[in-house]
Amino acid sequence: MLKPRSTPTRELVNLDGLWRFAVATTTDGEPWTGPLDTRLEAPVPASYNDLFTDSAIRDHVGWVWYQRQVRVPRGWAGERVVLRFDAATHGAKVYVGDVLVAEHVGGYTPFEADVTEHVRPGEEFRLTVGVNNELTNRTIPPGSITVTQDGRRKQTYLHDFYNYAGLARSVWLYCKPAVHIDDITIVTGIDGADETVGTVEYSVETNSPAAVRVRALDADGMEVAAGEGANGTLRITDVKLWRPGAACLYDLVVEARGDDGEVVDTYTEPFGVRTVEVRGTQFLINGEPFYFTGFGKHEDSPVRGKGHDDAYLVHDFQLMEWIGANSFRTAHYPYAEEVMEFADRHGIVVIDETAAVGLNLAVESGLLGTPPRPTFSDDTFNDDTRAAHAQAIRELISRDKNHPSVVMWCIANEPASNEEGAREYFEPLVALTRKLDPTRPVTYAAVMFATHENDRIADLFDVLCINRYYGWYIATGDLATAEAYLEGDLRGWAEKFGKPIMMSEYGADTQPGLHSVWDTPWTEEYQVAYLEANHRAFDRIDAFIGEHVWNFADFQTANGIHRVGGNKKGVFTRERLPKAAAHALRARWTSLNDRKPAHGDDHRS
């Protein structure tokens, strides 16, 4: 799905701002049939949960309604008029006037509705959007809903971040010609015989037959290659590669032409020329070994919740540059497209993850003390769950396939990969991912319960991403034991599978301002010592390719005795103030980055 852009043949109107807002319990049965009866207004983009002082809104389970008037520009006569939602968490229904024009399930990927037949250029229409935050065993991420004795609906889920909901990303109205470009796929490479030549395979889909011409432009707008036809390969001589920390982007200008040769639609897609490969126990970008330094992150900030904010985007990337991070994982869902584009422009490497977090009922048993249930069964996570998971993979790859920053797909976080049924569940999903994009490695993040001895799916994947908390949840406060446990664990994976290994999560909750001269959990000193113990173990594993600390910044979670004011494993506070660990990581990562390896060398040596 192409992101709306302003081009010579397309225009767009941003619909962000204040919308009328109401929860379903305060509206009649069909709130889209007239003006929404409410005094409340909610900003778009933003999660709605933290905006209001009424706990009934924060804790609401079910539908909420957004509404506003929209005027179609009068110059759009004869064009297709499209509504685009960058995301609606987790399900949506869209009405133009009284007409349902779109439904979507999945909280972190975009969807559209062609509303040409329901609107008129120059006139206004009433736009009503219902957003549903419910999670079940048929959604990704999953959850369950119960009803309390007093009749309240209560949502539970197994992921450790708050279930923020609403229109957390932008909404657009745009136009495109009757004959238009529907999709573009770009796959880049380096000529094996001449490393100064980049190859650009492209595929263009149009909604009806049309002649296609493409041109590749460099950063100065100069044409460096051109081609005819909907499919082909361009060659760029003296190519400037997209590299981690040194991004170089080109533009692919795609034109659809009518029978008379006139341009009927044009769309520009940025791209970078680079290759990604797993070879033995190395992860290679442009044929050179790459070592990941960075974080698991969250789209999370005070008041806005998961609402996208360009100020936080810029500041977070500045902090990552300051600390020496070269990468991050989109834990645990696809982030806003603006984030991916920023990573493209600034040379930050991304592991792109679906919202498949919580596929592990052993976590439920451990937290609640309830009898264990099988994770994969007809009554728990089943064929319907896998169908939703497959759709999440399709939509993620469709959206992000052309981003040079994206070097790997992560299709799940901490699934019950050690349980019976895991292979039957995941094998078709891995095959689907490879079919949709055979150019990028595929991974998943393994939970503590899954070891090299009992994991049932690790051989299906290219890179082993391991989540481990020795020294926090295991051997708490005993870092010598934790370091030994961790090294033994990692060696087991390395020896059995012979694949690249990286730590996709490791961290310790830390209350800023709490100090001690001893190894005391929750203190800033302990977080530093914990990280150092992990790093000593990492540096002794030859197959090790990277470290992503959990987490970049403190973030909000569900209420409960397990979390006080959210998860405090950030090396920055939720307000983005550094803890002592941030300075310690900066010293390590800038030192690693200063050791520039020769081609094929391990930069940690």
Side-chain angles (χ1 to χ4, degrees), residues 462-574:
D462 302 296
V463 174
L464 302 179
C465 286
I466 311 296
N467 294 357
R468 291 295 185 266
Y469 291 92
Y470 295 113
W472 189 249
Y473 296 120
I474 296 174
T476 310
D478 184 354
L479 292 177
T481 297
E483 184 178 335
Y485 281 171
L486 175 60
E487 182 175 352
D489 191 348
L490 295 177
R491 288 195 183 281
W493 289 92
E495 292 169 4
K496 181 172 182 178
F497 294 103
K499 297 174 183 281
I501 301 172
M502 68 174 289
M503 188 66 75
S504 42
E505 287 185 25
Y506 65 112
D509 282 280
T510 304
Q511 182 63 35
L514 189 63
H515 299 283
S516 176
V517 297
W518 301 291
D519 280 345
T520 304
W522 286 94
T523 63
E524 293 195 46
E525 288 79 11
Y526 187 79
Q527 188 180 34
V528 171
Y530 167 95
L531 294 174
E532 289 173 345
N534 275 262
H535 297 155
R536 287 192 294 270
F538 300 167
D539 291 344
R540 294 193 289 266
I541 305 298
D542 291 336
F544 209 75
I545 63 162
E547 52 200 61
H548 276 178
V549 173
W550 190 258
N551 191 283
F552 169 74
D554 296 344
F555 57 91
Q556 189 59 265
T557 63
N559 298 326
I561 61 173
H562 302 289
R563 294 283 179 243
V564 180
N567 190 306
K568 299 295 180 65
K569 292 188 180 67
V571 303
F572 297 96
T573 68
R574 199 180 189 208

Side-chain angles (χ1 to χ4, degrees), residues 174-189:
Y174 75 95
C175 72
K176 56 187 177 182
V179 176
H180 54 262
I181 299 159
D182 264 340
D183 197 19
I184 300 168
T185 302
I186 300 171
V187 177
T188 65

Side-chain angles (χ1 to χ4, degrees), residues 101-154:
V101 296
E103 294 184 80
H104 183 259
V105 176
Y108 303 101
T109 43
F111 61 99
E112 294 184 341
D114 187 318
V115 298
T116 310
E117 308 307 319
H118 307 290
V119 301
R120 293 191 179 191
E123 297 184 4
E124 284 191 340
F125 66 90
R126 185 179 64 253
L127 174 59
T128 309
V129 183
V131 181
N132 190 335
N133 65 352
E134 295 179 355
L135 299 174
T136 72
N137 70 332
R138 297 183 178 185
T139 64
I140 295 295
S144 60
I145 299 171
T146 57
V147 179
T148 63
Q149 290 184 341
D150 60 0
R152 289 176 295 112
R153 302 177 78 235
K154 187 175 181 179

